[in-house]
Amino acid sequence: MKVYEVQKGSTSLDGLRATERPEPKPGEREVLIRVRATSLNYRDHMIVMGSYIGGAVERDTIPLSDCAGEVVAVGSGVSRFKVGDRVAGTFFQTWVDGPRIRQSPALGVPLDGVLAEYVALDEQGVVGIPRGLSFEEAATLPCAGVTAWSALMVLGKRVKPGDTVLCLGTGGVSMHAMQFARAAGAKVIVTSSSDEKLQRALGLGAVAGINYKTHPAWDQEVQRLTGGRGVDIVIEVGGVGTLARSYSALGFGGKVALIGFLAGAAGEAPPYGLMMKAGCLQGIGVGSTAMFEKMNRAIEVNGIRPVVDQVFPFVEAREAFRRLGAGDFFSKIVIRLS
């Protein structure tokens, strides 16, 4: 079968290469999925560049954690799925339910990922996809979608009608969070360096957009927009580089959901502003199979359609990675296999 591999020791896009591997066969309690679409996360760019946690990959590794497709074969003992089911793989293959109590292996690193024509996954690491979604839309859910769901609906303070949520940037996690927050009856403020992207976010239901290039003190603009009250939840994808302003933008008793480090790992974020507001900093690490299934039910009930910015064919996977690395996208980039 056709696959892409990140070559051992890769530190640039030159390390992403198309190659062939034997088609996998489903083992006991495994399902074989014909991959129809995959989506990219910033983590995938870091893996190819050798800058992800742990450094460059130590073996040739199939990248990407997010896919949707159809079951074409099942191993012995499988009870959750049958041939023909439309499914998606989970980010963590062994976190089925309950609180996270250990480090679970993720697709794309350390496990082989899904940028391949076929993948064999444990049935507990697979979920049915929401009715009405295309494979391309469903492929955006395993990492970014579940992360946003966990941040708003599962861990710590949960979003409720009338709340205000601040989404930093217009990437996949932030745009999924905006859609979930709106469905829950909350108002959403979005930041971006692009007025065009802010207009797209407004068209999807955001109540306000802040260009952080023209408003470097964007936390003060958030306070102004909320009448000095601040927001209830911050979807924090910047990390240390933006944490201090997120604390400033937060309202009393609010939550900063710490998800990424797009603004870099360097910097200082004294916690005293958070302390004085009786706020909390909640780390978010994607979610379990059970969370994924609950999220999918909410997507169906509310008619949510994930936002796909551009779909690349399989043969242009490297171009998809280039666009991801350049930051020239809105919400999610998808690769279609067939």
Side-chain angles (χ1 to χ4, degrees), residues 89-233:
T90 63
F91 183 85
F92 291 121
Q93 282 291 287
T94 60
W95 183 8
V96 178
D97 198 0
R100 189 178 181 188
I101 59 174
R102 63 178 63 88
Q103 187 66 29
S104 302
L107 293 173
V109 161
L111 304 177
D112 273 322
V114 297
L115 193 50
E117 291 184 300
Y118 296 90
V119 295
L121 302 176
D122 188 284
E123 66 172 336
Q124 296 294 336
V126 176
V127 300
I129 63 178
R131 290 188 298 270
L133 296 193
S134 67
F135 287 123
E136 290 81 6
E137 291 169 329
T140 71
L141 298 175
C143 181
V146 177
T147 297
W149 178 263
S150 179
L152 291 174
M153 306 295 185
V154 181
L155 297 177
K157 176 186 175 73
R158 301 182 185 185
V159 68
K160 63 182 186 300
D163 280 353
T164 302
V165 176
L166 173 63
C167 293
L168 301 190
T170 55
V173 172
S174 292
M175 292 300 93
H176 278 301
M178 182 182 74
Q179 290 180 297
F180 295 151
R182 292 285 297 131
K187 295 176 287 186
V188 180
I189 299 171
V190 175
T191 69
S192 175
S193 62
S194 164
D195 287 337
E196 180 182 355
K197 291 179 180 179
L198 289 174
Q199 285 301 313
R200 292 184 68 179
L202 291 170
L204 289 168
V207 298
I210 303 170
N211 188 317
Y212 59 78
K213 293 293 186 182
T214 56
H215 292 88
W218 50 263
D219 53 318
Q220 297 178 22
E221 185 66 6
V222 170
Q223 289 289 346
R224 185 188 70 80
L225 289 169
T226 58
R229 178 179 174 274
V231 299
D232 298 282
I233 299 176

Side-chain angles (χ1 to χ4, degrees), residues 32-97:
L32 181 64
I33 301 168
R34 181 180 182 184
V35 178
R36 295 292 193 175
T38 65
S39 77
L40 279 67
N41 299 289
Y42 189 70
R43 168 183 186 262
D44 303 310
H45 170 73
M46 298 181 72
I47 289 169
V48 173
M49 302 303 290
S51 58
Y52 191 60
I53 300 167
V57 296
E58 297 179 351
R59 62 176 179 85
D60 295 349
T61 303
I62 299 174
L64 304 191
S65 59
D66 296 14
C67 76
E70 57 201 5
V71 176
V72 294
V74 299
S76 62
V78 169
S79 60
R80 283 169 50 83
F81 301 100
K82 64 183 184 304
V83 172
D85 285 346
R86 289 159 45 92
V87 298
T90 63
F91 183 85
F92 291 121
Q93 282 291 287
T94 60
W95 183 8
V96 178
D97 198 0

